[in-house]
Amino acid sequence: MTRLEEVVRDLERHAAATGWDAPPRLYALVAAPELNRNEPELARQLGIPDEPDGIAALEQPDLPLDRPIEDVLHGIEWPGEVAGCALILERILLPEGAEEEAPDEDPVTWAARHPGREDVRLVVGVLRDGSHYSAMRLRGHDSDGAVLTGPDLVPHLTDALASTLS
């Protein structure tokens, strides 16, 4: 398992422990040795060991909730010291074909009330080297053993997150 996979899984477990209906959370991923060298007190407070391949996930300020996440990500640029980033967010999945029934007005409320909806929590992590990994937990199957993981679960979101590193 790569270090990015471990970080994504750790973030997913952390999000699961805090429960559902949470706002999106963004993390800067920083090489542990760099954090220990440049911010030793912060690294000590966070308990980040100085491991050569370690990655520290540093939570960023709250994201605005009044715009689509893709638009928010489009406005983010990370400094060179940031090795990557990770995003945790919840979404609604609808059964195939359900979106065709959505009304033009207030489709979000309609989707939230749809009887076939499934809430999901997504965790996506990307690094500057191009590596990426994701985890997905379904609210209806809310257990650690039922978490889906892999590099290509949400390619559009992965691409949007990777664009912040350009």
Side-chain angles (χ1 to χ4, degrees):
M1 180 180 312
T2 69
R3 186 61 185 130
L4 178 60
E5 291 173 20
E6 289 178 31
V7 168
V8 166
R9 289 171 186 256
D10 287 347
L11 288 172
E12 196 289 319
R13 283 188 293 272
H14 175 71
T18 60
W20 289 90
D21 304 318
R25 287 172 281 187
L26 184 65
Y27 295 81
L29 303 181
V30 179
E34 185 169 326
L35 183 65
N36 276 278
R37 183 174 51 256
N38 296 331
E39 298 285 344
E41 183 60 26
L42 178 60
R44 187 190 64 71
Q45 287 175 351
L46 297 175
I48 307 296
D50 193 1
E51 299 172 345
D53 63 343
I55 298 175
L58 306 176
E59 188 167 2
Q60 302 301 293
D62 292 344
L63 296 170
L65 301 175
D66 61 341
R67 295 184 289 151
I69 193 68
E70 291 80 4
D71 292 348
V72 173
L73 292 176
H74 184 70
I76 295 175
E77 292 182 26
W78 297 100
E81 303 83 39
V82 172
C85 54
L87 178 68
I88 301 173
L89 78 157
E90 296 176 12
R91 287 291 183 250
I92 296 172
L93 292 180
L94 295 173
E96 190 172 331
E99 291 175 2
E100 296 167 6
E101 304 166 10
D104 291 336
E105 293 185 29
D106 203 11
V108 174
T109 301
W110 175 85
R113 294 183 179 152
H114 193 284
R117 75 179 263 187
E118 178 70 60
D119 294 339
V120 298
R121 181 183 305 113
L122 304 168
V123 182
V124 179
V126 298
L127 295 177
R128 286 192 189 275
D129 68 6
S131 57
H132 52 277
Y133 198 73
S134 304
M136 180 188 302
R137 183 183 292 250
L138 303 169
R139 193 174 205 159
H141 302 279
D142 194 358
S143 71
D144 289 348
V147 174
L148 305 170
T149 59
D152 299 315
L153 294 179
V154 281
H156 179 71
L157 187 57
T158 300
D159 292 345
L161 196 57
S163 73
T164 67
L165 298 168
S166 300

